[in-house]
Amino acid sequence: MGSSLAEATELKNKGNDAFKKQDWPEAVEWYTRAIEAYGKEPSFYTNRAQDANKAIELDPSNVKAYYRRASANTAILHHREALEDWKLVVKKAPGDATAKIRKTECEKIVKRDAFLKAIEVEDAPSAAEGLDVEHMAVDPSYDGAKLGKEMTLEFIEDMIERFKNGKKLARKYVFQIILAVMDIVKKEPTMVEVDIDGGQEITVCGDTHGQYFDLMEIFRLAGKPTEEHMFLFNGDFVDRGSWSTEIALLLYAYKWLYPTRFFLNRGNHETDDMNRMYGFEGECRAKYTERVFKLFSESFSALPLATLIGKKYFVLHGGLFSDDKVTLDDVRKLDRFKQRQPGQSGLMMEMLWTDPQTQPGRGPSKRGVGLQFGPDVTKRFCETNNLEAIIRSHEVRMEGYEVEHDGKCITVFSAPHYCDSTGNKGAFIKIDPEYKLKFTQFDAVPHPNIKPMAYASNGLQGLI
């Protein structure tokens, strides 16, 4: 703690260098060390958006700190808090055109959210009500494979090629796929339990975030799903990347074809508020219809929250809990249908939002939602539930995956060069009948010239 300002500034500069190389985790590490070395300099805190409060406490006139806090609150959908800060930024820096745009967008979102809340109905009818898919016509100009009452491998192979070529599915088939999968996942438990028999394997993938062409690379390297080759996609299929409908429909088609061999966990981006901000709702509207989004939304809220593989690996999108007393039995008993959206507290929110930390115990989330859990928390959870490890996703890892907490916490992230800006590798994990893990890293592949967040709310275009 006795370090000088000069030494701490040198640490901060190393963070800036890492930031320029788009190595975000290393940048945060250097910024954290700078703060630990000299905690009285406000500018150090503005480099980590979650520390903007401290920067403002040290220097209430620090415009950059208000800007960072507004950006952070916008990103985690705390729009009312963000709007107050955007107003302050515009007042203190009236020449900042970007801040004015963000303020205007934030005002629109606050009004929209208020309107949606006002018209919200607790027991709203399903978007499927009155939808006569059976008698819906397919346009005669549609040049793809036909879909009958059951999914076929031929149809999936055709849709893979259609999506590669920028083509869409007939709307009737989109409705059929979503409705069929919604019916399947509603019957699954909150925690699906699967064993790997001889001759089988399971491939576990993390976030894909609408990066369809990188999903194709996963299937090229890992092999496509079959009865013997199971898959688990661990949430965040959609948002940010601009081929989210393609990924969601393809994963759903495989789920329909292999209902007991292909598994989908819900992520924090399979939720309405995130989909409205980060592109999936806009993409559904642009490529199909508002009703398609509403059906996807219903199906997302029915997805399982976790998968237990061989009673050894607990796989969920975010991470562990605020209470050590929570066990796998509590997850089994969790009624995920009581609330469609995760809210700001409770087991569902924690399963979708929490992150690991290096220090023991629990700490506040750097996201502003959920919490962070240390290696001791993971160790106790694994010992209590006789687990080898937890497998989670939810965070970019520069190498595509990371094994931490003494091997008990494994993060896998499957969207390489995330948002066309991060430079990270992607990864997936194969688990064999002996329950051994094999990690495969891969690089991003070229894709058509459509930028990430193409369908997102305008206020988030610069907050990737």
Side-chain angles (χ1 to χ4, degrees):
M1 293 296 292
S3 299
S4 69
L5 175 60
E7 289 170 340
T9 301
E10 190 175 325
L11 294 171
K12 185 198 82 166
N13 291 338
K14 288 182 178 179
N16 291 344
D17 291 340
F19 188 90
K20 288 172 188 171
K21 290 187 289 186
Q22 301 181 335
D23 189 342
W24 318 129
E26 185 181 338
V28 169
E29 181 66 27
W30 285 116
Y31 293 146
T32 301
R33 288 174 65 179
I35 289 167
E36 288 171 349
Y38 192 88
K40 298 178 183 178
E41 173 52 45
S43 68
F44 292 174
Y45 293 91
T46 64
N47 286 300
R48 301 191 315 179
Q50 72 270 25
D51 290 321
N53 287 336
K54 181 68 175 179
I56 291 165
E57 180 187 317
L58 292 169
D59 179 8
S61 64
N62 190 322
V63 177
K64 185 179 178 183
Y66 288 107
Y67 194 107
R68 287 293 174 88
R69 189 169 71 179
S71 298
N73 275 323
T74 300
I76 61 172
L77 314 185
H78 291 177
H79 302 301
R80 289 186 179 279
E81 295 91 333
L83 181 56
E84 295 307 309
D85 282 338
W86 287 128
K87 287 177 179 176
L88 272 169
V89 172
V90 169
K91 185 177 179 181
K92 291 175 180 289
D96 191 327
T98 302
K100 286 180 180 176
I101 292 169
R102 298 271 166 79
K103 172 180 166 286
T104 301
E105 287 296 331
C106 205
E107 286 171 335
K108 289 179 186 173
I109 291 164
V110 167
K111 287 178 183 175
R112 182 206 66 189
D113 288 350
F115 172 73
L116 289 172
K117 189 168 181 60
I119 64 170
E120 194 176 79
V121 179
E122 193 166 314
D123 293 314
S126 167
E129 195 169 294
L131 188 62
D132 186 2
V133 177
E134 188 176 344
H135 295 99
M136 192 177 289
V138 174
D139 193 294
S141 65
Y142 184 74
D143 60 353
K146 304 294 188 288
L147 179 61
K149 295 192 175 182
E150 297 294 333
M151 181 54 65
T152 66
L153 200 52
E154 176 197 12
F155 186 86
I156 289 178
E157 291 298 333
D158 181 76
M159 75 189 286
I160 284 172
E161 291 306 312
R162 289 187 71 76
F163 291 161
K164 282 181 183 176
N165 295 321
K167 295 182 177 181
K168 297 183 290 185
L169 289 186
R171 198 177 303 167
K172 171 176 179 167
Y173 299 156
V174 171
F175 287 138
Q176 273 185 269
I177 291 168
I178 302 171
L179 291 171
V181 171
M182 187 160 24
D183 187 53
I184 292 166
V185 298
K186 276 182 177 177
K187 295 170 184 171
E188 291 184 322
T190 295
M191 182 176 73
V192 173
E193 302 186 41
V194 58
D195 294 321
I196 307 171
D197 298 326
Q200 294 181 335
E201 63 180 358
I202 188 167
T203 297
V204 180
C205 300
D207 305 35
T208 51
H209 274 305
Q211 295 184 197
Y212 178 77
F213 294 87
D214 295 314
L215 175 63
M216 293 298 98
E217 181 70 353
I218 291 173
F219 288 149
R220 187 185 75 82
L221 294 170
K224 290 179 181 175
T226 66
E227 287 285 353
E228 292 73 36
H229 183 191
M230 299 184 286
F231 267 84
L232 166 58
F233 282 83
N234 194 28
D236 283 15
F237 328 123
V238 301
D239 281 340
R240 298 191 185 272
S242 296
W243 290 271
S244 291
T245 56
E246 286 81 359
I247 283 190
L249 287 167
L250 180 55
L251 297 185
Y252 271 29
Y254 272 124
K255 179 64 180 174
W256 187 5
L257 183 64
Y258 302 120
T260 62
R261 295 289 183 268
F262 193 92
F263 306 100
L264 301 169
N265 283 346
R266 189 179 189 179
N268 67 303
H269 277 266
E270 279 71 55
T271 55
D272 284 357
D273 52 1
M274 302 299 275
N275 294 160
R276 288 192 182 109
M277 288 300 294
Y278 288 96
F280 185 59
E281 182 185 37
E283 186 179 334
C284 285
R285 282 177 168 172
K287 294 178 180 177
Y288 297 103
T289 66
E290 171 72 10
R291 196 170 200 171
V292 166
F293 170 69
K294 287 182 176 178
L295 281 172
F296 264 126
S297 168
E298 279 185 52
S299 71
F300 288 166
S301 68
L303 289 172
L305 301 178
T307 301
L308 182 63
I309 299 177
K311 298 182 175 56
K312 293 177 179 289
Y313 299 105
F314 179 54
V315 188
L316 74 171
H317 182 72
L320 295 180
F321 309 96
S322 56
D323 188 342
D324 276 341
K325 293 176 184 174
V326 175
T327 67
L328 293 183
D329 273 340
D330 293 305
V331 177
R332 287 186 182 100
K333 293 172 188 172
L334 176 62
D335 183 358
R336 68 189 189 276
F337 299 108
K338 269 190 173 178
Q339 58 182 85
R340 282 187 53 187
Q341 305 304 320
Q344 295 294 311
S345 63
L347 292 190
M348 185 190 295
M349 181 280 291
E350 291 175 358
M351 292 175 75
L352 299 183
W353 277 98
T354 61
D355 298 295
Q357 63 182 25
T358 54
Q359 60 268 41
R362 293 176 173 89
S365 171
K366 59 183 177 288
R367 302 171 187 272
V369 182
L371 57 98
Q372 296 186 168
F373 57 95
D376 54 328
V377 175
T378 304
K379 183 173 184 285
R380 286 193 297 270
F381 184 83
C382 288
E383 287 176 350
T384 299
N385 294 282
N386 298 312
L387 296 169
E388 292 283 329
I390 68 163
I391 299 175
R392 41 90 60 182
S393 303
H394 194 41
E395 290 181 290
V396 177
R397 290 293 190 262
M398 294 308 292
E399 296 303 312
Y401 74 95
E402 184 175 2
V403 181
E404 50 194 319
H405 291 187
D406 299 315
K408 298 290 185 186
C409 179
I410 299 162
T411 299
V412 59
F413 192 83
S414 303
H417 197 37
Y418 180 47
C419 290
D420 287 357
S421 64
T422 309
N424 61 293
K425 291 183 180 296
F428 55 83
I429 307 169
K430 277 187 182 286
I431 308 178
D432 65 22
E434 302 297 317
Y435 295 99
K436 300 287 189 250
L437 307 185
K438 180 185 176 186
F439 298 90
T440 299
Q441 298 169 292
F442 62 99
D443 293 315
V445 296
H447 61 72
N449 188 25
I450 301 174
K451 295 190 183 306
M453 305 280 276
Y455 303 96
S457 293
N458 290 338
L460 286 193
Q461 294 284 342
L463 293 179
I464 295 176

